[in-house]
Amino acid sequence: QVQLVESGGGSVQAGGSLRLSCAASGDTYSSYCMGWFRRAPGKEREGVATSDSVDDIVYADSVEGRFTIHKDSAKNTLFLQMNSLRPEDTGMYYCSAREWARAWGSCHLADTWYPFWGQGTQVTVSS
């Protein structure tokens, strides 16, 4: 089992920035995928960004160029730096993780692919 705890959410005005953190504990894997997902009010959860253990990164088109995913492997922590925030970025942001094999290719932005989830942290962007 992997435990994930998100932090760093908050309320900002459009154009502002936030940095989300996800602290991982429990079972560890030498090869893994970790990702950020979000659920806007009234919408389904969608993938934001993923990173595997060799730093192959995938971004959703909607955040490309504005968000940056990175990790501190020594501290088992995943980050999401969010710049130029827009009201449509509002939602609950979740951290996810799974064991991964390089033969599978890049990590997926599909939430059904991940067995481990955090409780989420709320991001609200006002216009």
Side-chain angles (χ1 to χ4, degrees):
Q1 291 293 319
V2 175
Q3 291 77 47
L4 303 170
V5 179
E6 303 95 336
S7 62
S11 296
V12 297
Q13 290 193 326
S17 298
L18 283 173
R19 187 195 195 207
L20 305 183
S21 300
C22 171
S25 61
D27 290 345
T28 58
Y29 306 107
S30 58
S31 296
Y32 56 85
C33 283
M34 293 189 74
W36 289 99
F37 288 74
R38 66 187 180 189
R39 189 194 301 274
K43 295 186 178 181
E44 295 186 352
R45 187 161 56 187
E46 63 174 356
V48 175
T50 68
S51 177
D52 64 30
S53 46
V54 293
D55 294 330
D56 183 17
I57 292 171
V58 179
Y59 291 104
D61 290 343
S62 59
V63 306
E64 182 87 52
R66 300 187 298 121
F67 291 10
T68 302
I69 187 173
H70 62 102
K71 58 185 183 293
D72 184 336
S73 298
K75 296 183 178 180
N76 293 328
T77 302
L78 182 74
F79 301 96
L80 184 69
Q81 177 66 45
M82 305 187 294
N83 298 328
S84 301
L85 282 161
R86 304 167 180 169
E88 54 264 39
D89 294 319
T90 294
M92 185 70 76
Y93 282 68
Y94 299 91
C95 178
S96 62
R98 71 159 294 149
E99 189 174 11
W100 169 77
R102 294 194 68 178
W104 300 348
S106 299
C107 301
H108 295 185
L109 278 175
D111 62 354
T112 53
W113 206 59
Y114 294 85
F116 303 117
W117 292 89
Q119 295 298 310
T121 185
Q122 178 68 35
V123 171
T124 303
V125 185
S126 58
S127 57

